């Protein structure tokens, strides 16, 4: 009887299937270890809830983790602690491009729009910072009254949660029977949605026809950029209700589709990766690595479950818990 590999091992192996983004020209000698090696370590961090690098390394030092250490070895060499810290700190810079590449690959594989319009929803969701909050009067005075405060986070006002001190996950997801993250970025919570949106645009698949957003994305510059990509930006408009201008009924339908897709996905994502409360990390680099890494793991989970004939929307949290 052939024993099947553990799910965690199979998810890590799927990292080798992620398409490579366009390489950047770099000076100096090439790195000794590939980027994929550290992406595999990131998958382990997310699935096993190891938000800190030193916790990951302590876990890998255990005798029971020798098979996993072997998977994180290249050319017969295992990175030193300093290499792990340095490369994992640099990893978040390339994660948006990796997420975009895998998102486009999943669109081609799963064909989510074969019965639906070629639409995707764009939105940001708020994540609370770890520790206390840094009030405005203290920030302006340059005072940090408690060491638990993450000074790299920011304030924003959410229509649902009110004032929140923390981060924003900016996300584009398919509006279809299966929710596929297509592009993602993480910023401090005070970043404007319409200013971050153009950075997500290059990662979207070329076949996307409609980008659905709320009022914050109703921006002339973003609309021009979408038109240059031959896609239509459909965003709700400001002003008193009910709106009576042309196209209002069509926009109302699109807005309902956007809400059901992206807001439900955001809730599912937070539930799967336990981000409904405070994030488990401190600082922009570590939080960006952990949250964008969770988006990448979600994509890998879709790929794995598709290849094994499992449901792509139900049972994802227990699947990852069991891994």
């Amino acid at each position: 009887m052939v024993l099947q590999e553990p799910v965690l091992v199979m998810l890590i192996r799927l990292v080798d299937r992620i398409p490579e983004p366009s390489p950047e020209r770099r000076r100096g000698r090439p790195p000794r270890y590939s980027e994929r090696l550290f992406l595999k370590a990131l998958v382990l961090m997310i699935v096993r809830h190891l938000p800190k690098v030193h916790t990951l390394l302590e876990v890998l030092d255990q005798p029971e983790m020798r098979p996993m250490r072997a998977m994180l070895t290249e050319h017969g060499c295992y990175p030193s602690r300093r290499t792990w810290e340095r490369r994992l700190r640099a990893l978040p810079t390339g994660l948006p491009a990796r997420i975009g590449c895998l998102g486009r690959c999943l669109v081609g594989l799963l064909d989510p729009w074969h019965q639906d319009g070629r639409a995707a929803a764009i939105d940001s969701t708020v994540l609370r910072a770890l520790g206390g909050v840094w009030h405005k009067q203290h920030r302006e005075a340059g005072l940090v009254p408690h060491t638990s405060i993450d000074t790299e986070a920011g304030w924003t006002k959410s229509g649902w949660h009110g004032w929140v001190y923390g981060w924003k996950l900016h996300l584009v997801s398919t509006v279809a029977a299966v929710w596929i993250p297509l592009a993602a970025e993480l910023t401090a919570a005070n970043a404007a949605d319409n200013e971050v949106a153009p950075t997500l645009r290059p990662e979207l698949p070329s076949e996307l026809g409609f980008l659905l957003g709320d009022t914050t994305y109703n921006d002339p510059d973003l609309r021009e950029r979408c038109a240059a990509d031959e896609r239509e930006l459909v965003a709700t408009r400001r002003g008193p209700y009910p709106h009576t201008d042309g196209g209002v009924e069509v926009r109302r339908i699109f807005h309902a589709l956007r809400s059901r897709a992206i807001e439900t996905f955001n809730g599912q994502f937070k539930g799967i990766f336990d981000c409904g409360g405070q994030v488990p990390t401190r600082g922009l680099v570590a939080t960006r690595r952990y949250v964008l890494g969770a988006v990448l793991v979600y994509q890998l989970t879709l790929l794995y479950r598709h290849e094994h004939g499992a449901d792509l929307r139900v049972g994802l949290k227990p699947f990852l818990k069991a891994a």
Side-chain angles (χ1 to χ4, degrees), residues 43-213:
V43 172
L44 174 62
M45 292 176 71
I46 302 303
V47 175
R48 290 292 177 88
H49 296 276
L50 308 173
K52 299 179 180 179
V53 175
H54 74 83
T55 308
L56 166 70
L57 299 181
E58 289 174 356
V59 169
L60 288 173
D61 282 341
Q62 301 306 308
E64 296 81 5
M65 296 297 287
R66 287 174 183 168
M68 191 62 65
R69 283 173 62 97
M71 293 186 66
L72 300 176
T73 299
E74 281 187 351
H75 314 299
C77 297
Y78 182 75
S80 66
R81 175 176 288 270
R82 185 175 179 84
T83 300
W84 278 117
E85 293 172 348
R86 177 173 53 84
R87 293 293 299 273
L88 285 172
R89 181 172 181 81
L91 190 64
T93 303
L95 285 177
R98 299 275 181 179
I99 291 170
C101 284
L102 187 51
R104 294 189 295 271
C105 178
L106 288 171
V107 166
L109 182 65
L110 304 181
D111 192 16
W113 295 315
H114 72 284
Q115 291 182 336
D116 305 291
R118 297 173 293 111
I122 183 171
D123 199 8
S124 67
T125 186
V126 180
L127 306 173
R128 296 183 183 274
L130 182 65
V133 300
W134 200 12
H135 292 292
K136 180 180 178 182
Q137 63 268 29
H138 293 146
R139 180 191 288 267
E140 292 177 347
L143 299 176
V144 183
H146 198 279
T147 56
S148 72
I149 294 174
D150 190 341
T151 58
E152 297 183 43
W155 283 100
T156 190
K157 188 173 184 180
S158 165
W160 180 259
H161 301 286
W163 284 102
V164 177
Y165 183 73
W167 312 93
K168 272 185 184 178
L169 171 60
H170 306 265
L171 195 70
V172 180
S173 175
T174 54
V175 177
V178 55
W179 301 320
I180 304 174
L182 302 176
E185 184 55 281
L186 184 113
T187 66
N190 56 339
D193 293 350
N194 62 315
E195 294 179 0
V196 178
T199 66
L200 305 178
R201 184 179 57 91
E203 307 302 336
L204 301 179
S206 58
E207 55 265 47
L208 177 64
F210 299 92
L211 185 62
L212 314 182

Side-chain angles (χ1 to χ4, degrees), residues 16-46:
D16 292 324
R17 304 263 300 276
I18 301 176
E20 285 287 344
S22 301
E24 296 182 1
R25 298 185 62 181
R26 301 178 58 179
R27 292 187 175 184
R29 65 180 183 180
R32 182 174 186 178
Y33 300 101
S34 70
E35 196 83 351
R36 291 185 186 273
L37 176 67
F38 300 95
L39 285 173
K40 292 176 181 179
L42 181 60
V43 172
L44 174 62
M45 292 176 71
I46 302 303

Side-chain angles (χ1 to χ4, degrees), residues 265-277:
F265 172 79
N266 285 337
Q268 184 195 45
F269 177 84
K270 290 182 179 180
I272 291 173
F273 297 103
D274 298 326
C275 293

Side-chain angles (χ1 to χ4, degrees), residues 119 210 212 234 249-259:
F210 299 92
L212 314 182
V234 182
E249 295 299 330
V250 176
R251 288 203 312 276
R252 186 172 290 118
I253 294 172
F254 275 125
H255 180 63
L257 291 172
R258 183 203 68 85
S259 299

